[in-house]
Amino acid sequence: MVGPDVVIEKCDLFTGDWVPNPSGPTYTNESCPLIEGHQNCMRNGRPDSGYLHWKWKPRDCQLPRFNAERFLELTRNKAWALIGDSISRNHVQSLLCMLATVERPVEVYHDEQYKSKRWHFASYNFTVSNIWSPFLVKAAVFEDNDGVSTAEVQLHLDKLDKTWTDLYPSLDYMIISTGKWFLKAAIYHENDTEVGCHICPGKNLTELGFVYAYNKTLHYVMDFIANSKHKGLIFFRTSTPDHFENGEWHNGGSCPKTTPAKEGEVEIKDLSRILRNVELEEFEKAAAKAADNGVNLKLLDFTNLLLMRPDGHPGPYRQFQPFAENQTAVVQNDCLHWCLPGPMDFWNDVIMEMVVRG
């Protein structure tokens, strides 16, 4: 006897539409204390709430809602990790908030900068880690928390970042991603030698461009995974689109929309498309090799799912009550990260379905 929430048919979970969801999110900023300030749009005073009442619906099959209790049962005595940049950090908060509807996790580790953290669900002996590794390879970064750089990134394209590779063998499930950091000015190293750069005028280095570095890095990362003999489930997630209009992060870009777009209404930006094409190409190359080696490597391609949600970003509400004192204040907008609760929560529905299917 198959229960009503068991889905047998295979389908493309990543092609679908956002449809009305009157019941809204499974948690709020009041029920979940794990939302970081910049993503806490409700607390920060975002006035509209329509963005909370949509759900992702694949076109050709049912997608069960995320079941936190079942997820925790499936992952009892296991270790999960989300590895990457601040989008991974955004996602770990979403996952923790949804799981916290069953049991509140306890933070058991953080690094000195509070960039990498680990939480434990005691009743299930289950851990979730967020591992900060924005390039996945070894990097020296010179910038503050607002993304203002004082020098080019020093990037070693042939040395994987030990922050994640040292933990890799001990993990049962992981979601690995990278992306936007490769657009930053950087000096590239191979064999401990400077080989070129991206945006380094006056340095007398060859301008190789970010695609060169992204191809090299992802090839190296995928090769490491495909040849690792790892027995867990490894997801590679594509990078996420932003929705800045009339500018970018540092020059007044904003994202004023309050409703989802329909497919085709929003065009992916050139830089996001280039990153995604490299990701898909390197994943395809590695997938066959991984399968031959018994490594369970799967793709999470959330690009189009999020492309249709220009309404899901904090915008000016990345800071607390930005217009409390001045209705026309000029404030920093965030059209890259995602409000919580928000569209990102539906990643967990898709991921759970893929875990159930195995």
Side-chain angles (χ1 to χ4, degrees):
M1 168 96 183
V2 173
D5 63 342
V6 176
V7 179
I8 302 298
E9 81 264 34
K10 295 279 185 198
C11 74
D12 178 4
L13 296 166
F14 302 100
T15 300
D17 305 282
W18 290 96
V19 299
N21 179 34
S23 60
T26 59
Y27 67 93
T28 69
N29 64 314
E30 282 166 350
S31 70
C32 183
L34 299 157
I35 306 169
E36 289 186 9
H38 289 328
Q39 280 86 53
N40 201 337
C41 304
M42 295 161 107
R43 188 209 67 174
N44 290 346
R46 180 169 170 170
D48 61 309
S49 60
Y51 72 97
L52 297 169
H53 293 93
W54 299 89
K55 68 179 175 184
W56 177 248
K57 186 179 186 306
R59 297 241 171 104
D60 51 3
C61 61
Q62 293 296 313
L63 175 61
R65 285 306 313 266
F66 184 84
N67 181 329
E69 200 164 342
R70 188 169 179 218
F71 185 94
L72 287 164
E73 279 297 345
L74 286 168
T75 53
R76 188 181 284 279
N77 301 320
K78 304 288 190 201
W80 266 81
L82 283 70
I83 301 163
D85 57 22
S86 57
I87 300 292
S88 290
R89 191 164 67 221
N90 202 167
H91 182 204
V92 88
Q93 296 165 51
S94 164
L95 179 61
L96 290 171
C97 283
M98 291 175 83
L99 294 175
T101 59
V102 173
E103 179 178 319
R104 188 72 59 82
V106 175
E107 187 182 309
V108 290
Y109 166 81
H110 62 78
D111 64 2
E112 277 179 36
Q113 284 84 36
Y114 288 80
K115 296 268 196 186
S116 294
K117 295 181 179 181
R118 186 162 55 251
W119 295 264
H120 187 239
F121 291 81
S123 305
Y124 297 88
N125 189 30
F126 168 57
T127 58
V128 178
S129 299
N130 179 212
I131 301 171
W132 176 255
S133 183
F135 291 101
L136 302 178
V137 290
K138 185 179 172 188
V141 179
F142 309 93
E143 70 172 47
D144 64 19
N145 285 335
D146 288 322
V148 178
S149 299
T150 52
E152 296 92 349
V153 175
Q154 301 290 329
L155 205 53
H156 295 263
L157 302 178
D158 55 357
K159 291 185 177 149
L160 293 177
D161 181 3
K162 286 183 174 303
T163 312
W164 72 273
T165 57
D166 283 355
L167 291 169
Y168 179 84
S170 65
L171 299 167
D172 301 291
Y173 298 89
M174 67 197 91
I175 302 173
I176 297 176
S177 61
T178 177
K180 293 280 195 292
W181 281 66
F182 280 85
L183 303 177
K184 295 175 186 284
I187 310 288
Y188 300 145
H189 301 251
E190 293 175 58
N191 290 328
D192 292 319
T193 307
E194 291 183 350
V195 293
C197 71
H198 174 51
I199 319 174
C200 65
K203 283 279 195 295
N204 201 19
L205 285 167
T206 308
E207 170 65 47
L208 293 171
F210 72 89
V211 173
Y212 172 87
Y214 207 43
N215 261 315
K216 282 249 177 190
T217 296
L218 286 184
H219 185 77
Y220 193 26
V221 168
M222 294 292 184
D223 212 48
F224 171 80
I225 292 167
N227 291 311
S228 66
K229 305 283 193 286
H230 197 285
K231 289 295 164 245
L233 176 54
I234 302 156
F235 293 105
F236 175 70
R237 176 177 63 67
T238 55
S239 52
T240 57
D242 68 77
H243 292 94
F244 284 102
E245 298 176 20
N246 305 311
E248 295 295 329
W249 181 277
H250 289 304
N251 57 7
S254 63
C255 37
K257 293 191 170 60
T258 55
T259 54
K262 296 210 166 29
E263 192 175 35
E265 284 180 358
V266 181
E267 200 164 321
I268 191 166
K269 294 182 179 180
D270 286 345
L271 290 176
S272 295
R273 183 176 41 79
I274 292 164
L275 290 173
R276 179 167 179 262
N277 287 345
V278 173
E279 291 155 8
L280 296 178
E281 185 186 324
E282 292 301 335
F283 176 84
E284 286 305 320
K285 279 194 231 164
K289 191 189 294 182
D292 288 345
N293 290 335
V295 175
N296 197 357
L297 175 63
K298 293 184 187 292
L299 184 69
L300 292 174
D301 185 8
F302 290 128
T303 305
N304 288 326
L305 179 152
L306 288 183
L307 190 62
M308 290 188 263
R309 293 306 304 271
D311 57 326
H313 300 285
Y317 298 98
R318 76 185 287 268
Q319 49 266 317
F320 184 67
Q321 304 289 351
F323 305 113
E325 289 174 20
N326 179 356
Q327 278 297 306
T328 56
V330 176
V331 297
Q332 170 74 60
N333 277 260
D334 182 351
C335 305
L336 172 64
H337 301 97
W338 301 88
C339 289
L340 296 177
M344 185 177 264
D345 294 326
F346 289 89
W347 285 12
N348 302 319
D349 294 30
V350 172
I351 290 162
M352 175 153 183
E353 183 61 13
M354 292 176 77
V355 168
V356 169
R357 290 179 187 183

